Amino acid sequence: MPPHTHDDRPTDTPMPTSPEGPIPGTSTDGTGSRTRGGSTAGRRTAGASAGGSRPLGGFADEPDTHEPSDGDPVPEHTTAPEPVPFGDEQKVAAVRRVAAVGRRWRGARAAGCAVLLAVALTGGAIAFGAAREPVPVAAASGAVDPGLLGSGNLDAGIAALQAHLRSQPRDHDGWATLGLAYVEQARTKGDPARYPQAEKALRRSLALAPGNDQALAGRAALAAARHDFRGALAYADRALRQNPYSERALCSRVDALVELGRYADAARAAATADARKPGVPVFTRYAYVRELRGDVPAARRVLEQALAGATSPGDVAYVAAQLGQLAWNQGDYKAALGHYARALAADENYLPALEGRARAQAASGRRDEAIKGLETVVARYPLPGPLVELGELYEARGAAGDRARARDQYALVDAWIALARANGVDADLDTAMAAADHGDRAAALRAARAEWSRRRTVHTADALAWALHVNGHDREALGYARRATATGYRNAVFLYHRGVIELTTGHGKDGRASLKAALKLNPGFSPLGAAKARAALGAAR
């Protein structure tokens, strides 16, 4: 039977406030959303919370009061510049020139804050989320220069930690930090083979200091990176019993609840995190939950606030790329390119911004630039999302040899999935989404059903609906396709899938409306899907 469609969004949710008061254009009485085109494994912790950040304000009707029992299972701003009529590389350079002026102006004022930040970083905190779009913004053990991990040179930071632990092998904070650094390295390099190393380091930390909150929060981050969100939630809860103000654990808890489809609980958890540890990581999570519920204006305003409060290059790149993704989802490619330029001015190698820029270029008709950009991305980070996107761009171009090039990209997706599974990652959602259109359809359906049995999010509902469709089970697919759009999340791919399934099941009026909505929202949502949506709509008329 198809699932029941429901909407669990809280009502009368107050809007967040900026450090200076209400965010412009919001109502203080409330009005009542990746991860990354492919995988949607939550939003990462965007960096250490800036000292002095104020809470956003009441996120939900009531605070999150969850207190896990001892029996809980523990499994082993400046706004983005307006794009100008010249190339994207020139845009990045222009943003850098503007930022340099701002840095000179802020230099003296920042000097005092830098001392406090260095003290905070030596406490052993390294900020990570649940495996969506990582940026290394770290805090090392007290014996390691915190700038090595915070500077974005993660490899150098790991080498320094390893050297320190050879001389101080009983430093449990150092082992916890190393474990988290391996988690981040696995994601930034697209190399799941780092996860077993992370697990060993975190186990060592817990053996030296049983129950220490840093290692427990690290286990939560590792579980989330492996897409074990129930395990991530259990570890986050244990860490919070030890330290209710652990930023990593607070953020991992929000991520886990989002990725389990428990959106109302995630909203309350975000309120708790905001009250205890306000800052960029919590603001970005607030924005994502609002986006999942269809409140795009609120999500945009909160991300703009987060960008205004971002100080490190990692935070700036992360938040600007999130704004780019939000603009892309709404079909505003000009704004998206501007935000990606801002992100790349902060970190020219930031993968989500490079990938997002290529996607926006393709949708704007600049296919050759997009292909070149994605070729650079997959050469460094052969992850499923950009591999599929590049393969589809080759197919859409249709030049000599492009079909073979596309097949090569899809084969690399299969290779990455095999590697991920060998290192303890649940890759069923990646399998379902890639294989449904470009691989073994029966395998896609098996993977989608398995993922749905573990977590019921809008993304797993959409993946299962499409896998059922390509296997000829459209009547069963219809309920899942409608559930994927039930929260109000504005996603053109979901609407396209729903429209095709509605047409196939005889709901002609609904199908045409869904396809029109997809193309109106984001007319270039996919190199191949957008063309198929137009063809299906034309045939339906």
Side-chain angles (χ1 to χ4, degrees):
M1 295 293 291
H4 296 292
T5 300
H6 68 282
D7 185 351
D8 61 358
R9 69 188 102 171
T11 58
D12 299 322
T13 302
M15 293 296 296
T17 58
S18 73
E20 291 72 37
I23 296 174
T26 63
S27 167
T28 55
D29 61 356
T31 55
S33 27
R34 50 139 117 181
T35 127
R36 200 164 53 176
S39 180
T40 57
R43 303 255 171 154
R44 59 168 285 285
T45 301
S49 177
S53 294
R54 295 185 183 177
L56 288 167
F59 185 87
D61 296 329
E62 59 187 80
D64 175 32
T65 57
H66 175 78
E67 287 292 339
S69 68
D70 289 335
D72 280 346
V74 182
E76 273 297 4
H77 153 88
T78 56
T79 57
E82 278 296 309
V84 291
F86 52 88
D88 291 311
E89 297 299 335
Q90 293 169 286
K91 290 179 189 176
V92 173
V95 174
R96 282 204 181 103
R97 288 195 295 272
V98 173
V101 175
R103 283 195 297 272
R104 287 194 294 272
W105 180 81
R106 292 190 298 269
R109 196 175 87 175
C113 296
V115 175
L116 297 177
L117 180 59
V119 172
L121 286 170
T122 58
I126 187 170
F128 295 114
R132 201 165 192 204
E133 288 137 355
V135 172
V137 182
S141 167
V144 178
D145 177 8
L148 286 174
L149 290 180
S151 67
N153 191 342
L154 190 58
D155 292 344
I158 287 174
L161 273 168
Q162 290 169 333
H164 164 69
L165 289 167
R166 280 193 290 271
S167 63
Q168 299 292 332
R170 299 192 63 78
D171 179 2
H172 67 273
D173 284 348
W175 285 108
T177 303
L178 180 62
L180 281 158
Y182 282 141
V183 173
E184 189 70 352
Q185 191 177 54
R187 294 202 303 258
T188 57
K189 293 182 179 294
D191 180 11
R194 295 293 185 183
Y195 292 140
Q197 292 177 283
E199 184 167 4
K200 289 179 181 179
L202 293 166
R203 285 183 180 274
R204 181 73 174 270
S205 177
L206 287 168
L208 290 167
N212 80 83
D213 67 276
Q214 286 194 70
L216 290 171
R219 292 303 301 264
L222 175 60
R226 285 171 154 172
H227 299 185
D228 173 15
F229 297 108
R230 293 187 185 279
L233 181 60
Y235 278 118
D237 285 337
R238 284 190 63 192
L240 290 170
R241 287 206 298 273
Q242 299 298 319
N243 177 10
Y245 294 90
S246 168
E247 181 178 79
R248 294 189 305 280
L250 288 165
C251 290
S252 289
R253 188 163 198 274
V254 177
D255 293 337
L257 290 167
V258 165
E259 294 304 324
L260 290 170
R262 295 168 55 180
Y263 299 132
D265 290 338
R268 288 187 284 272
T272 298
D274 182 37
R276 295 179 185 175
K277 204 76 173 179
V280 169
V282 174
F283 295 175
T284 54
R285 283 161 174 80
Y286 183 105
Y288 186 45
V289 175
R290 298 302 280 186
E291 182 188 356
L292 285 169
R293 298 179 178 283
D295 193 350
V296 172
R300 183 183 302 112
R301 287 191 292 269
V302 174
L303 286 174
E304 287 170 350
Q305 176 186 341
L307 186 58
T311 55
S312 72
D315 280 0
V316 171
Y318 173 68
V319 180
Q322 292 303 311
L323 279 163
Q325 176 69 18
L326 187 66
W328 153 262
N329 283 341
Q330 313 312 308
D332 188 350
Y333 309 136
K334 180 181 178 182
L337 287 168
H339 291 307
Y340 291 132
R342 179 75 177 93
L344 292 169
D347 180 355
E348 63 186 3
N349 295 312
Y350 187 46
L351 170 63
L354 290 168
E355 180 186 348
R357 183 176 70 177
R359 192 183 303 116
Q361 287 169 335
S364 302
R366 297 155 58 183
R367 182 187 296 151
D368 288 344
E369 291 177 78
I371 288 175
K372 182 179 178 181
L374 280 174
E375 285 174 341
T376 299
V377 169
V378 302
R380 300 177 185 174
Y381 311 98
L383 298 171
L387 285 168
V388 169
E389 186 83 12
L390 179 57
E392 292 192 348
L393 280 172
Y394 284 141
E395 285 197 61
R397 185 173 65 179
D402 274 348
R403 187 168 295 277
R405 293 186 184 96
R407 285 196 300 268
D408 289 343
Q409 305 313 307
Y410 305 143
L412 284 172
V413 173
D414 293 338
W416 184 92
I417 287 172
L419 177 64
R421 286 180 169 153
N423 287 281
V425 179
D426 164 23
D428 280 336
L429 185 58
D430 298 283
T431 299
M433 295 191 323
D437 287 323
H438 305 295
D440 184 335
R441 295 178 177 181
L445 182 54
R446 287 194 300 271
R449 288 195 188 279
E451 194 69 11
W452 182 255
S453 72
R454 287 187 289 270
R455 55 189 183 113
R456 301 192 172 188
T457 70
V458 293
H459 295 89
T460 51
D462 171 71
L464 180 53
W466 196 242
L468 285 164
H469 163 72
V470 299
N471 281 277
H473 305 303
D474 289 286
R475 293 196 178 279
E476 185 182 359
L478 182 59
Y480 294 101
R482 289 177 171 170
R483 181 162 180 166
T485 57
T487 69
Y489 179 47
R490 292 166 56 81
N491 186 299
V493 173
F494 290 10
L495 290 167
Y496 160 57
H497 289 167
R498 174 174 170 165
V500 170
I501 293 167
E502 285 171 335
L503 289 177
T504 308
T505 54
H507 298 81
K509 182 178 179 180
D510 291 341
R512 289 190 297 273
S514 294
L515 291 173
K516 287 179 182 177
L519 293 168
K520 181 179 180 181
L521 174 63
N522 187 353
F525 65 85
S526 162
L528 299 180
K532 291 178 180 178
R534 292 186 181 91
L537 185 57
R541 288 171 178 158

